[in-house]
Amino acid sequence: YTIAVMKGIKGVSWLANACMALFGALLAYVLILGGQPVYIIETGFSALGNMMQNFIVLSTWTDPLRTTNFPQNWTIFFWAYWMVWAVASPFFMGSISRGRTVKQVILGTYIFGVASTLISFIILGNYGLGLQMHGRFDVLGFYAQSGDLYATVIEVIKTLPLWRIVLVILVTSMIAFYATSFDSITLVASQYSYRELREGQEATSRMKLFWAILLIMLPIALIFSEGSMNNLQTVSIIAAFPIGMVIVLIIASFIRDARNYLEERQN
């Protein structure tokens, strides 16, 4: 993570490409050699249809009677989580998208970002679901007995051929994913720590190292804290409220800059 960010955009790009290749190979392995490709694909298409039909209903459902508390524990958390990311990520995307139009950046981000996320959920999620539905492994029963989510995931992985290699690839790709995410935030934070930077100029190595060490403290703290997921949910929801106002200001600033740019072109 630190080595890549010290190399700048090229280092982050190399790490991101390696991560995508590794994770893509993992998805292909699970889909083809997992023993249930037809079920995964067909269930995936059905899930996409259900999501598109019920997206607004599910995204605005608040469970007023608190029968499940799912919206409070997960839906609100995910909205807040991505609101927090939405502040830093666009600056990084903009810095690596010079020479492209706004339309190209938006379409590329949505198409590749959403498509890759959906594909990973469809393949990995439906593989575990297929194990349960076809009686190959009682996922729900094992989780109910052990109460350990991570142990359940390991048991699901053990159903794959050469599962030890799969586990190593999965862990490596997860580390690479988080590394690229923190690399992007580190680059943005280090660049915006200066009052002024010339076009094409990057922050100094000391500034990058400072932010790299500072940002790595949060995941380390979560690892050694009990109930790390609950802590992450709480922090995300609390941080999302002020960040929501920042997002509104960013949108207003973008509209203003876009209007000024169009007026200059017309003149």
Side-chain angles (χ1 to χ4, degrees), residues 1-181:
Y1 152 65
T2 306
I3 295 174
V5 78
M6 296 295 284
K7 296 292 184 180
I9 295 294
K10 292 183 178 179
V12 177
S13 176
W14 180 88
L15 183 61
N17 291 333
C19 176
M20 291 300 298
L22 196 63
F23 193 67
L26 176 64
L27 293 179
Y29 184 87
V30 174
L31 177 63
I32 298 173
L33 299 180
Q36 42 191 358
V38 176
Y39 175 83
I40 290 174
I41 295 173
E42 291 181 349
T43 307
F45 275 107
S46 299
L48 285 176
N50 289 330
M51 183 189 70
M52 288 186 286
Q53 291 177 11
N54 301 286
F55 178 80
I56 296 178
V57 175
L58 293 175
S59 61
T60 57
W61 179 56
T62 59
D63 189 15
L65 298 179
R66 300 296 190 271
T67 56
T68 64
N69 286 321
F70 185 86
Q72 288 71 30
N73 294 336
W74 290 105
T75 305
I76 296 176
F77 158 64
F78 272 110
W79 283 112
Y81 182 81
W82 288 111
M83 284 177 66
V84 173
W85 275 102
V87 174
S89 298
F91 290 104
F92 176 73
M93 294 176 185
S95 65
I96 63 175
S97 301
R98 290 178 181 175
R100 295 178 175 85
T101 64
V102 175
K103 180 180 179 180
Q104 290 173 335
V105 174
I106 294 175
L107 290 178
T109 303
Y110 272 100
I111 291 174
F112 290 102
V114 174
S116 59
T117 302
L118 290 177
I119 291 173
S120 63
F121 271 81
I122 287 173
I123 294 177
L124 299 180
N126 287 330
Y127 176 76
L129 183 62
L131 295 178
Q132 179 73 38
M133 300 304 294
H134 295 146
R136 293 177 54 189
F137 174 60
D138 187 6
V139 180
L140 296 178
F142 183 87
Y143 177 69
Q145 183 178 6
S146 64
D148 190 338
L149 178 61
Y150 305 107
T152 305
V153 173
I154 298 298
E155 291 299 320
V156 170
I157 295 175
K158 286 183 178 180
T159 61
L160 289 166
L162 303 175
W163 66 269
R164 289 182 175 84
I165 298 177
V166 174
L167 184 60
V168 171
I169 295 175
L170 177 62
V171 172
T172 305
S173 60
M174 288 175 63
I175 294 174
F177 268 125
Y178 278 102
T180 52
S181 300

Side-chain angles (χ1 to χ4, degrees), residues 167-243:
L167 184 60
V168 171
I169 295 175
L170 177 62
V171 172
T172 305
S173 60
M174 288 175 63
I175 294 174
F177 268 125
Y178 278 102
T180 52
S181 300
F182 279 98
D183 281 341
S184 63
I185 298 178
T186 300
L187 287 177
V188 170
S190 59
Q191 289 175 347
Y192 280 86
S193 298
Y194 293 87
R195 177 174 296 180
E196 183 178 356
L197 280 177
R198 294 190 301 272
E199 185 176 354
Q201 182 182 2
E202 293 189 5
T204 62
S205 298
R206 289 184 178 181
M207 184 62 70
K208 293 177 184 177
L209 182 61
F210 167 77
W211 280 106
I213 296 175
L214 186 64
L215 291 174
I216 203 64
M217 295 296 180
L218 177 59
I220 291 177
L222 290 174
I223 290 174
F224 291 100
S225 65
E226 296 182 1
S228 58
M229 179 56 71
N230 293 330
N231 295 336
L232 179 61
Q233 290 174 329
T234 303
V235 171
S236 299
I237 293 173
I238 293 174
F241 179 73
I243 286 178

Side-chain angles (χ1 to χ4, degrees), residues 239-250:
F241 179 73
I243 286 178
M245 294 185 288
V246 174
I247 292 175
V248 173
L249 294 176
I250 292 175

